[in-house]
Tab-separated table of all heavy atoms in Angstrom:
chain	number	residue	atom	x	y	z
A	260	VAL	N	20.896	1.967	-1.159
A	260	VAL	CA	20.096	3.171	-1.041
A	260	VAL	C	18.933	2.923	-0.089
A	260	VAL	O	18.583	3.786	0.730
A	260	VAL	CB	19.664	3.661	-2.428
A	260	VAL	CG1	18.695	4.810	-2.285
A	260	VAL	CG2	20.873	4.063	-3.264
A	261	THR	N	18.337	1.727	-0.160
A	261	THR	CA	17.242	1.404	0.768
A	261	THR	C	17.746	1.498	2.211
A	261	THR	O	17.061	2.076	3.063
A	261	THR	CB	16.809	-0.060	0.535
A	261	THR	OG1	16.376	-0.171	-0.833
A	261	THR	CG2	15.639	-0.436	1.440
A	262	ALA	N	18.914	0.943	2.465
A	262	ALA	CA	19.454	0.969	3.807
A	262	ALA	C	19.654	2.408	4.285
A	262	ALA	O	19.398	2.756	5.448
A	262	ALA	CB	20.773	0.175	3.877
A	263	ILE	N	20.101	3.241	3.355
A	263	ILE	CA	20.356	4.647	3.722
A	263	ILE	C	19.025	5.339	4.118
A	263	ILE	O	18.926	5.973	5.125
A	263	ILE	CB	21.069	5.403	2.573
A	263	ILE	CG1	22.481	4.854	2.408
A	263	ILE	CG2	21.107	6.913	2.869
A	263	ILE	CD1	23.198	5.393	1.202
A	264	ILE	N	17.975	5.123	3.272
A	264	ILE	CA	16.731	5.792	3.707
A	264	ILE	C	16.181	5.182	4.981
A	264	ILE	O	15.568	5.840	5.813
A	264	ILE	CB	15.564	5.811	2.650
A	264	ILE	CG1	15.658	4.720	1.614
A	264	ILE	CG2	15.482	7.167	2.009
A	264	ILE	CD1	14.588	4.821	0.572
A	265	GLY	N	16.455	3.906	5.226
A	265	GLY	CA	16.046	3.295	6.470
A	265	GLY	C	16.692	3.973	7.666
A	265	GLY	O	16.056	4.277	8.645
A	266	VAL	N	17.999	4.160	7.532
A	266	VAL	CA	18.762	4.754	8.619
A	266	VAL	C	18.323	6.230	8.858
A	266	VAL	O	18.260	6.720	9.976
A	266	VAL	CB	20.275	4.723	8.319
A	266	VAL	CG1	21.058	5.567	9.288
A	266	VAL	CG2	20.761	3.292	8.378
A	267	VAL	N	17.939	6.902	7.789
A	267	VAL	CA	17.490	8.295	7.895
A	267	VAL	C	16.122	8.355	8.556
A	267	VAL	O	15.828	9.205	9.406
A	267	VAL	CB	17.480	9.006	6.526
A	267	VAL	CG1	16.764	10.347	6.603
A	267	VAL	CG2	18.902	9.141	6.036
A	268	SER	N	15.243	7.442	8.188
A	268	SER	CA	13.844	7.650	8.590
A	268	SER	C	13.326	6.772	9.729
A	268	SER	O	12.448	7.216	10.483
A	268	SER	CB	12.907	7.501	7.369
A	268	SER	OG	13.068	6.174	6.834
A	269	PHE	N	13.851	5.583	9.889
A	269	PHE	CA	13.317	4.739	10.989
A	269	PHE	C	13.473	5.325	12.376
A	269	PHE	O	12.583	5.230	13.190
A	269	PHE	CB	13.911	3.338	10.914
A	269	PHE	CG	13.020	2.308	10.272
A	269	PHE	CD1	13.377	1.647	9.121
A	269	PHE	CD2	11.755	2.039	10.846
A	269	PHE	CE1	12.532	0.704	8.520
A	269	PHE	CE2	10.931	1.108	10.267
A	269	PHE	CZ	11.281	0.446	9.116
A	270	PRO	N	14.593	6.027	12.657
A	270	PRO	CA	14.726	6.615	14.031
A	270	PRO	C	13.586	7.587	14.314
A	270	PRO	O	13.212	7.764	15.455
A	270	PRO	CB	16.105	7.309	13.945
A	270	PRO	CG	16.845	6.591	12.924
A	270	PRO	CD	15.873	6.158	11.886
A	271	VAL	N	13.088	8.223	13.264
A	271	VAL	CA	11.993	9.179	13.492
A	271	VAL	C	10.733	8.446	13.935
A	271	VAL	O	10.030	8.902	14.857
A	271	VAL	CB	11.711	10.033	12.246
A	271	VAL	CG1	10.586	11.006	12.486
A	271	VAL	CG2	12.953	10.739	11.848
A	272	LEU	N	10.487	7.249	13.348
A	272	LEU	CA	9.329	6.464	13.828
A	272	LEU	C	9.592	6.027	15.258
A	272	LEU	O	8.659	5.986	16.083
A	272	LEU	CB	9.102	5.267	12.923
A	272	LEU	CG	7.900	4.400	13.339
A	272	LEU	CD1	6.628	5.181	13.180
A	272	LEU	CD2	7.821	3.107	12.583
A	273	LEU	N	10.832	5.679	15.570
A	273	LEU	CA	11.153	5.249	16.916
A	273	LEU	C	10.805	6.384	17.908
A	273	LEU	O	10.170	6.175	18.942
A	273	LEU	CB	12.614	4.865	17.031
A	273	LEU	CG	13.057	4.345	18.401
A	273	LEU	CD1	12.310	3.081	18.754
A	273	LEU	CD2	14.543	4.082	18.453
A	274	SER	N	11.193	7.599	17.561
A	274	SER	CA	10.917	8.705	18.498
A	274	SER	C	9.418	8.934	18.569
A	274	SER	O	8.823	9.169	19.657
A	274	SER	CB	11.636	9.966	18.138
A	274	SER	OG	11.634	10.174	16.751
A	275	ALA	N	8.712	8.806	17.414
A	275	ALA	CA	7.251	8.950	17.442
A	275	ALA	C	6.644	7.910	18.403
A	275	ALA	O	5.807	8.236	19.183
A	275	ALA	CB	6.681	8.770	16.030
A	276	ALA	N	7.144	6.667	18.316
A	276	ALA	CA	6.625	5.603	19.147
A	276	ALA	C	6.927	5.868	20.629
A	276	ALA	O	6.077	5.669	21.469
A	276	ALA	CB	7.209	4.257	18.722
A	277	LEU	N	8.151	6.350	20.913
A	277	LEU	CA	8.514	6.607	22.277
A	277	LEU	C	7.675	7.733	22.893
A	277	LEU	O	7.159	7.630	24.011
A	277	LEU	CB	10.006	7.034	22.391
A	277	LEU	CG	11.006	5.869	22.116
A	277	LEU	CD1	12.409	6.357	22.225
A	277	LEU	CD2	10.771	4.757	23.099
A	278	LEU	N	7.401	8.786	22.074
A	278	LEU	CA	6.564	9.873	22.599
A	278	LEU	C	5.100	9.324	22.824
A	278	LEU	O	4.478	9.742	23.821
A	278	LEU	CB	6.516	11.044	21.590
A	278	LEU	CG	7.845	11.758	21.341
A	278	LEU	CD1	7.646	13.008	20.527
A	278	LEU	CD2	8.511	12.139	22.676
A	279	LEU	N	4.678	8.432	21.971
A	279	LEU	CA	3.338	7.885	22.198
A	279	LEU	C	3.286	7.043	23.444
A	279	LEU	O	2.330	7.100	24.236
A	279	LEU	CB	2.939	7.062	20.971
A	279	LEU	CG	1.535	6.493	20.937
A	279	LEU	CD1	0.477	7.596	21.147
A	279	LEU	CD2	1.228	5.789	19.617
A	280	ILE	N	4.387	6.296	23.684
A	280	ILE	CA	4.484	5.522	24.937
A	280	ILE	C	4.407	6.477	26.123
A	280	ILE	O	3.731	6.240	27.140
A	280	ILE	CB	5.756	4.689	24.962
A	280	ILE	CG1	5.666	3.529	23.917
A	280	ILE	CG2	5.988	4.078	26.325
A	280	ILE	CD1	6.920	2.755	23.741
A	281	MET	N	5.119	7.602	26.026
A	281	MET	CA	5.093	8.594	27.118
A	281	MET	C	3.688	9.090	27.363
A	281	MET	O	3.207	9.153	28.507
A	281	MET	CB	5.993	9.822	26.789
A	281	MET	CG	7.465	9.505	26.593
A	281	MET	SD	8.223	9.000	28.091
A	281	MET	CE	8.521	10.553	28.829
A	282	ASP	N	2.975	9.444	26.265
A	282	ASP	CA	1.604	9.932	26.387
A	282	ASP	C	0.685	8.871	27.032
A	282	ASP	O	-0.164	9.184	27.871
A	282	ASP	CB	1.055	10.315	25.029
A	282	ASP	CG	1.405	11.739	24.655
A	282	ASP	OD1	2.272	12.336	25.347
A	282	ASP	OD2	0.904	12.250	23.642
Side-chain angles (χ1 to χ4, degrees):
Chain A
V260 173
T261 302
I263 293 173
I264 25 183
V266 169
V267 170
S268 59
F269 260 118
V271 180
L272 181 66
L273 183 62
S274 42
L277 290 178
L278 296 188
L279 185 53
I280 291 173
M281 298 293 279
D282 275 9

